[in-house]
């Protein structure tokens, strides 16, 4: 897929691009690299605390990593 290199290229040009961090985190989750996704998703969540996508993807990362308490906490925030 060309998505990952394109997202990384976008972040090289504009390191604070929240949407690229969020989308890269989602892609990394889907490709089994939740540990790598965390940094991007935490950044996106910090920069856009009201946005649902980073929060949901962050919960999924924690679930994939077996950090179930954190996953439940973030899913709960998402659903509230």
């Amino acid at each position: 897929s060309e998505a990952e290199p394109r997202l990384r290229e976008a972040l090289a040009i504009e390191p604070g691009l929240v949407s690229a961090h969020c989308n890269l985190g989602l892609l990394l989750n889907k490709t089994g690299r939740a540990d790598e996704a965390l940094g991007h998703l935490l950044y996106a969540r910090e920069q856009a605390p009201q946005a649902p996508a980073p929060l949901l993807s962050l919960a999924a990362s924690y679930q994939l990593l077996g950090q179930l308490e954190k996953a439940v906490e973030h899913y709960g925030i998402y659903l509230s």
Side-chain angles (χ1 to χ4, degrees):
S1 168
E2 292 187 28
E4 185 175 349
R6 299 274 184 208
L7 289 166
R8 291 190 186 279
E9 183 179 325
L11 288 172
I13 294 167
E14 177 107 22
L17 192 59
V18 173
S19 61
H21 280 284
C22 186
N23 288 327
L24 183 55
L26 177 63
L27 178 84
L28 292 168
N29 273 349
K30 288 185 174 188
T31 57
R33 294 178 285 165
D35 55 337
E36 191 179 344
L38 273 180
H40 294 285
L41 296 169
L42 287 167
Y43 177 83
R45 172 84 171 127
E46 181 180 293
Q47 298 302 310
Q50 301 302 317
L55 180 59
L56 185 58
S57 292
L58 190 56
S61 289
Y62 286 128
Q63 183 178 359
L64 290 166
L65 292 170
Q67 297 179 27
L68 300 183
E69 286 183 25
K70 287 184 179 182
V72 168
E73 175 188 343
H74 285 80
Y75 282 129
I77 295 168
Y78 175 78
L79 293 171
S80 65

